Each structure stands twice: as structure tokens, then as C-alpha cells.
Amino acid sequence: MNFLGFGSSATVLFKLKAKKNRPKKKVVVTGSKPRVKELCIYQGTEPIAGEIVITPKGRKLEHIGVKIELVGQIELFYDRGNHYEFTSLVRELAPPGIMTTSQIFAFSFENVEKEHESYNGLNVQLRYFLRVTISSQYGVNTIAQEEDLWIQNLNPPPQINHSIKMEVGIEECLHIEFEYDKSES
């Protein structure tokens, strides 16, 4: 926020490094204004990397640090105020200082276990997102912006057991076991 609380004193642009022809998914992103957004699909084992471009809107932007977080969060729609964060990793991008021109900060989250898949349902939402925070003194002009990610874990299909087993018997007297193999060969 700027000094009077109208608007932001800097623009934050996310540039994610993604493979060409990466599949995308259209998702309704909730918030103050629900909107449809196209998100890149990442595998659970892939690193998330890219650049953040911060451009001050005025002459200068004083801050006490710039950080980026990778957050995994579960939101229950009937309990909007409480969110359960199951993953949260922070990287410091810049120490305290003054920005007068546009600056680019590279980031990378490697070897991060993203064990849950993203989900957007009627009552619950499981989301992963990046949050950039430009902290200012006393928290008056702190700027925070988020960028959603879609995580998908692909597992090999389970092995199909083609045999059927059935056991029939009389307790402690007679016991018969049938096995029928319905293989297609």
C-alpha cells in the first residue's frame, strides 16, 4: 500500500520458468473477485523456479526485506478465516534497502515434496501458491502478492489382479479353495 492506503507502491510480476508446451488447467480462483485463471501444471517432484520483477511506482521504495514463500494450503469454504498450511518454505530475495528502479530476483524451490495434488471443489480447496512479500517498517506499506500453481502427481496405474479366489468350508472339518484365473491370453 502507499502512504494514503490507495493502491500499491510497486508492481510485482511473476515469471515462472516452465517447459515449453507445458499443459495448463483452467481453474476458478477464489478471492474477493472469483475469476477463471489458466495455471501451469507441475509434477509433484518438479522444482519450481523463476524470476520476480519488482517495479517501484514512485521515485523510490524503501523496504526492510523481500521474501518469497512456497505455500501449500487447505481452505474450507465454510470456515473461511482458518486455513491449514501443510507446506511453507521461505527464501530471502533481498536484504533491507531502497529500490529506485525495476529489479529482478531469481528464485528456486528444489527437492520440495509436494505430496498432495491441487484440488478445487465446492466445499474445500487445496492449493499451492507463491507469495512475494515486500516488508516495510512498522508494517504500514507491506506489499504481498500471490501466484497460484497447479500440482498433479502422476503415479503408475495399479496392477490388475485377474484371478478370483473363493473359499468355502465347514469350520474345522472341510475347507475348499477355488481360484479362477481370467487372463485374456
Side-chain angles (χ1 to χ4, degrees):
M1 302 299 264
N2 68 5
F3 182 72
L4 298 175
F6 301 109
S8 176
S9 58
T11 57
V12 178
L13 178 66
F14 291 85
K15 291 184 178 180
L16 297 174
K17 289 182 183 171
K19 295 177 187 171
K20 289 185 179 182
N21 302 326
R22 178 180 292 279
K24 296 185 182 223
K25 179 170 180 69
K26 289 186 180 181
V27 177
V28 176
V29 179
T30 58
S32 60
K33 295 180 184 177
R35 63 194 187 283
V36 176
K37 191 171 184 182
E38 203 170 64
L39 305 176
C40 288
I41 298 175
Y42 285 87
Q43 299 292 324
T45 56
E46 274 185 287
I48 297 173
E51 296 176 339
I52 302 297
V53 181
I54 300 175
T55 307
K57 286 188 178 174
R59 289 188 197 167
K60 64 180 181 175
L61 174 65
E62 290 186 48
H63 63 88
I64 57 170
V66 178
K67 66 180 178 179
I68 186 167
E69 296 174 84
L70 172 63
V71 180
Q73 171 177 287
I74 298 174
E75 298 176 10
L76 301 172
F77 292 131
Y78 62 83
D79 191 12
R80 288 246 185 218
N82 295 326
H83 305 298
Y84 170 67
E85 287 188 4
F86 56 88
T87 298
S88 181
L89 293 158
V90 180
R91 302 278 191 267
E92 293 292 327
L93 297 176
I98 299 173
M99 278 189 228
T100 55
T101 61
S102 182
Q103 291 190 3
I104 299 172
F105 302 99
F107 69 91
S108 179
F109 291 98
E110 295 181 18
N111 300 325
V112 177
E113 184 179 348
K114 298 174 279 300
E115 60 183 312
H116 304 295
E117 287 191 346
S118 297
Y119 176 75
N120 194 8
L122 291 175
N123 297 317
V124 68
Q125 180 181 27
L126 190 145
R127 65 190 277 243
Y128 288 89
F129 59 93
L130 295 168
R131 180 189 301 139
V132 171
T133 306
I134 304 169
S135 302
S136 64
Q137 205 164 14
Y138 309 117
V140 176
N141 295 333
T142 297
I143 300 167
Q145 191 163 338
E146 297 176 355
E147 178 75 14
D148 285 288
L149 307 167
W150 194 264
I151 304 298
Q152 183 177 19
N153 293 322
L154 297 177
N155 297 322
Q159 290 183 342
I160 299 174
N161 187 0
H162 290 289
S163 63
I164 298 173
K165 287 186 179 182
M166 184 171 76
E167 296 178 18
V168 179
I170 301 171
E171 196 171 322
E172 294 185 21
C173 183
L174 175 67
H175 184 77
I176 301 172
E177 186 175 304
F178 298 97
E179 183 171 347
Y180 174 70
D181 186 19
K182 62 174 195 171
S183 63
E184 297 174 8
S185 55

